[in-house]
């Protein structure tokens, strides 16, 4: 009996302890659920009805302050911008605006440049802050990030300025040459000379306008709307044919690698807009010819390489020209940027060709890279997704690409292109 009583007593004590622990856990859970979160530092009861819902759907960063400048509510975007830290508004100019608005009830707005969090480059974050009273005790702060809008506006201004400058040069030259023709009307030799110069400037103006149209088209159009499988060998043949005359004038040999147009490249296809792809590759070949000395060689090769997301088609254009310095390599794909402005004027370059190549590559899900050495030449490489990338690879596997260098194997300007088909 004594043993049974002891067991019963122990069971009663254990049950009591379990009940106490369960009650404490329930109380603790209620306290934890009632604890304020990052987006609700105080209770939501202090906010007017419906305000919380409205703030949650705003694109702007929102912060609500009470009469003691404590944050009642802040959106996650406000924390991401670094506006709120430790339950307080961390930007002094905005805090002063909030205090002034609380005092007189007037709506205020200002644009500020804030230090960007998490970077050591001193980049500024451009924001527009608007403060308004919210009821009798609260103040609402709305902050809009203007950084990207300002960047786009700066690019637009630079583009307009560059276009204006580039257009004024041939237009001004045509105006002066026409006056010279009129003044030399009694000198047939001078008229012929000036007329030839006018033709050159008119051609330069036509090329500039056409490339502006092409750049606008590749920036605004979706190339995949009219996408189709495009044969790489046809693109290469078209690009070479486009530069055949200036190449023959300078006695430049055009060589096609990768087994020739009718060989290993015949089964390579790219999925995209044929016109844009042809223009991009044509610009690369044309640049190679224009910036190569006489009696040199320009090589075009194509191959399939492996990549984590599917096979890529890699098209490389190699020349033996003047090369590009390291500081210029970082900017050659900018619009209107020229490595050698004087040479560009001599060749009729507009500074838009490589910008078009970059946009076409990006819009097709690829990239364009450059390897160059001054005095030895350059290699521009287009890497684009293969059409039907899910098909089985050949038993030999894809060619290897050097992962530590943008320059593909066997693209040294002085290296031999395998099995070239030399085109006159």
């Amino acid at each position: 009996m004594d043993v049974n009583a002891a067991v019963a007593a122990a069971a009663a004590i254990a049950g009591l302890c379990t009940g106490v622990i369960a009650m404490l856990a329930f109380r603790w859970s209620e306290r934890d659920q009632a604890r304020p979160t990052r987006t609700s530092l105080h209770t939501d009861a202090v906010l007017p009805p419906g305000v919380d819902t409205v703030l949650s759907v705003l694109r702007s960063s929102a912060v609500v302050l009470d009469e003691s400048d404590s944050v009642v509510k802040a959106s996650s975007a406000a924390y991401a911008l670094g506006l709120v830290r430790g339950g307080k508004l961390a930007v002094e100019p905005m805090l002063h605006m909030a205090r002034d608005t609380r005092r007189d009830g007037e709506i205020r707005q200002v644009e500020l440049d804030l230090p960007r969090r998490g970077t050591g480059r001193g980049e500024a974050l451009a924001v527009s802050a608007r403060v308004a009273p919210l009821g009798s005790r609260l103040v609402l702060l709305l902050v809009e990030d203007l950084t990207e809008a300002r960047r786009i506006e700066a690019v637009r201004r630079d583009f307009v300025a560059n276009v204006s400058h580039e257009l004024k040069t041939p237009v001004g030259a045509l105006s002066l040459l026409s006056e010279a023709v009129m003044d030399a009307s009694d000198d047939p030799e001078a008229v012929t000379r000036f007329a030839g110069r006018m033709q050159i400037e008119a051609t330069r103006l036509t090329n500039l306008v056409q490339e502006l149209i092409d750049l606008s088209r590749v920036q605004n159009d979706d190339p995949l709307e009219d996408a189709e499988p495009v044969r790489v060998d046809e693109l290469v043949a078209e690009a070479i044919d486009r530069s055949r005359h200036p190449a023959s004038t300078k006695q430049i040999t055009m060589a096609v690698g990768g087994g020739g147009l009718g060989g290993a490249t015949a089964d390579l296809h790219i999925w995209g807009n044929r016109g844009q792809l042809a223009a991009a590759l044509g610009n690369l070949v044309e640049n190679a010819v224009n910036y190569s000395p006489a009696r040199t060689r320009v090589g075009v090769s194509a191959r399939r390489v492996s990549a984590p997301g599917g096979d890529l088609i890699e098209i490389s254009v190699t020349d033996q020209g003047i090369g590009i310095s390291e500081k210029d390599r970082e900017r050659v794909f900018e619009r209107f940027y020229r490595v050698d402005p004087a040479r560009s004027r001599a060749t009729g370059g507009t500074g838009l060709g490589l910008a078009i190549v970059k946009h076409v590559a990006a819009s097709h899900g690829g990239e364009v890279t450059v390897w160059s050495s001054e005095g030895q030449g350059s290699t521009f490489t287009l890497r684009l997704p293969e059409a039907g990338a899910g098909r089985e690879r050949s038993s030999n596997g894809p060619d290897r690409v050097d992962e530590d260098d943008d320059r593909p194997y066997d693209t040294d300007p002085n290296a031999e292109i395998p099995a070239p088909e030399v085109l006159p």
Side-chain angles (χ1 to χ4, degrees):
M1 295 294 293
D2 293 339
V3 174
N4 292 335
V7 172
I13 293 172
L16 179 62
C17 292
T18 302
V20 172
I21 292 174
M23 182 179 66
L24 291 175
F26 179 74
R27 294 283 188 181
W28 184 268
S29 177
E30 284 188 330
R31 284 182 56 192
D32 190 60
Q33 291 179 6
R35 184 176 301 165
T37 61
R38 261 166 61 108
T39 58
S40 181
L41 298 179
H42 299 323
T43 62
D44 291 336
V46 298
L47 292 176
V51 172
D52 187 30
T53 303
V54 172
L55 295 182
S56 65
V57 298
L58 288 178
R59 297 181 60 184
S60 304
S61 303
V63 180
V64 179
L65 304 176
D66 63 12
E67 63 272 13
S68 62
D69 293 332
S70 297
V71 176
V72 175
K73 185 172 183 64
S75 64
S76 57
Y79 284 96
L81 291 178
L83 304 179
V84 178
R85 298 175 191 171
K88 295 290 185 180
L89 187 61
V91 183
E92 283 296 323
M94 296 182 186
L95 188 58
H96 292 318
M97 287 175 57
R99 290 170 179 170
D100 293 340
T101 296
R102 186 185 300 112
R103 185 179 62 252
D104 55 26
E106 292 186 5
I107 298 176
R108 289 176 169 80
Q109 184 169 350
V110 68
E111 291 188 2
L112 301 170
D113 290 332
L114 307 178
R116 189 187 295 269
R117 297 180 62 188
T119 63
R121 295 174 292 178
E123 295 179 349
L125 191 69
V127 298
S128 174
R130 185 178 180 87
V131 181
L134 186 63
S136 58
R137 297 186 301 112
L138 304 179
V139 174
L140 172 62
L141 171 67
L142 297 177
V143 179
E144 189 78 23
D145 187 355
L146 303 178
T147 307
E148 183 65 14
R150 284 193 180 181
R151 187 192 67 80
I152 294 175
E153 178 63 20
V155 170
R156 187 192 66 80
R157 286 198 306 268
D158 291 343
F159 181 73
V160 172
N162 286 328
V163 168
S164 301
H165 173 74
E166 295 296 332
L167 288 174
K168 284 170 62 178
T169 302
V171 170
L174 287 172
S175 177
L176 292 175
L177 287 169
S178 64
E179 293 179 5
V181 169
M182 293 178 63
D183 293 340
S185 57
D186 55 347
D187 186 352
E189 183 178 348
V191 169
T192 302
R193 184 172 67 255
F194 291 142
R197 289 294 305 167
M198 291 179 69
Q199 288 182 336
I200 294 174
E201 295 299 333
T203 301
R204 178 175 300 171
L205 182 60
T206 301
N207 292 338
L208 176 58
V209 172
Q210 183 59 52
E211 291 202 341
L212 285 171
I213 295 172
D214 293 341
L215 180 60
S216 176
R217 182 179 294 117
V218 300
Q219 285 181 315
N220 296 327
D221 293 350
D222 181 5
L224 301 184
E225 287 184 358
D226 302 319
E228 59 179 329
V230 181
R231 290 172 56 110
V232 173
D233 55 350
E234 293 179 356
L235 290 178
V236 174
E238 186 175 337
I240 289 178
D241 188 63
R242 169 175 162 179
S243 299
R244 189 183 302 274
H245 176 68
S248 62
T249 301
K250 298 172 68 174
Q251 299 181 5
I252 292 176
T253 301
M254 307 287 282
V256 179
L261 292 180
T265 61
D267 64 337
L268 301 182
H269 294 77
I270 299 172
W271 184 259
N273 183 291
R274 178 184 177 84
Q276 292 189 14
L277 293 172
L281 185 57
N283 285 345
L284 291 181
V285 175
E286 185 177 8
N287 274 3
V289 172
N290 288 340
Y291 287 90
S292 292
R295 292 179 293 279
T296 56
R297 184 182 63 175
V298 171
V300 184
S301 62
R303 61 178 179 175
R304 180 186 299 112
V305 297
S306 116
D311 288 353
L312 299 176
I313 300 300
E314 187 177 88
I315 307 175
S316 299
V317 179
T318 302
D319 63 62
Q320 297 173 310
I322 59 176
I324 306 172
S325 66
E326 184 176 357
K327 65 180 182 67
D328 289 323
R329 283 200 296 271
E330 299 176 356
R331 301 190 59 189
V332 291
F333 296 104
E334 294 180 11
R335 289 171 291 189
F336 296 109
Y337 184 79
R338 297 184 178 95
V339 175
D340 185 351
R343 188 179 181 90
S344 295
R345 286 193 295 270
T347 60
T350 63
L352 290 174
L354 291 180
I356 293 174
V357 175
K358 179 180 178 180
H359 280 287
V360 170
S363 63
H364 283 76
E367 64 174 351
V368 58
T369 58
V370 58
W371 172 91
S372 185
S373 179
E374 290 186 85
Q376 296 186 31
S378 305
T379 296
F380 286 85
T381 302
L382 267 173
R383 295 187 182 96
L384 299 166
E386 183 181 17
R391 68 182 183 81
E392 293 184 0
R393 298 171 184 171
S394 63
S395 57
N396 294 330
D399 293 335
R400 184 167 65 97
V401 176
D402 189 349
E403 296 179 354
D404 297 326
D405 196 342
D406 285 337
R407 171 188 170 189
Y409 281 84
D410 296 331
T411 53
D412 189 310
N414 298 317
E416 291 296 325
I417 297 178
E421 175 185 346
V422 179
L423 304 180

